Amino acid sequence: MFSVAVKDYIMIAHSFQGEIFGPAQKLHGATYIVTDEFKVAQLDEDGLVIDIGQAIAILKEVLEPLNYQNLDTLEQFKGINTKYE
């Protein structure tokens, strides 16, 4: 197995529901570091898992809709405590 990992980050705003979260129930910011790992059983004809530039571009494309967003206002997160797991 061969793999290549790339990292990026997103900055978001959100709040938590529930008294257990104390002051985090109020709107606050968070920065998430995201690692994306590409795995293959065999390298391609150039000896690569994936072009590193392509891997970075894919990760940026996936993260872009969330970057600098207030997750509380996005439909897909309505009623969900948006925390890292």
Side-chain angles (χ1 to χ4, degrees), residues 2-69:
F2 301 92
S3 66
V4 169
V6 293
K7 289 185 180 183
D8 202 351
Y9 68 92
I10 58 171
M11 296 171 62
I12 57 93
H14 68 157
S15 60
F16 291 131
Q17 300 171 15
E19 288 188 34
I20 188 75
F21 295 105
Q25 293 176 85
K26 296 178 183 174
L27 187 65
H28 62 278
T31 301
Y32 291 103
I33 298 171
V34 180
T35 302
D36 194 3
E37 186 173 11
F38 298 83
K39 295 181 179 183
V40 296
Q42 296 204 351
L43 299 176
D44 71 10
E45 62 276 359
D46 296 313
L48 301 174
V49 171
I50 187 172
D51 176 274
I52 194 80
Q54 183 183 15
I56 292 167
I58 290 168
L59 182 55
K60 284 190 178 301
E61 181 181 335
V62 169
L63 297 178
E64 191 275 327
L66 300 177
N67 204 15
Y68 294 103
Q69 295 294 317

Side-chain angles (χ1 to χ4, degrees), residues 17 66 70-82:
Q17 300 171 15
L66 300 177
N70 177 349
L71 300 186
D72 296 345
T73 66
L74 300 179
E75 189 62 37
Q76 65 264 39
F77 298 117
K78 291 268 189 217
I80 297 173
N81 277 333
T82 51

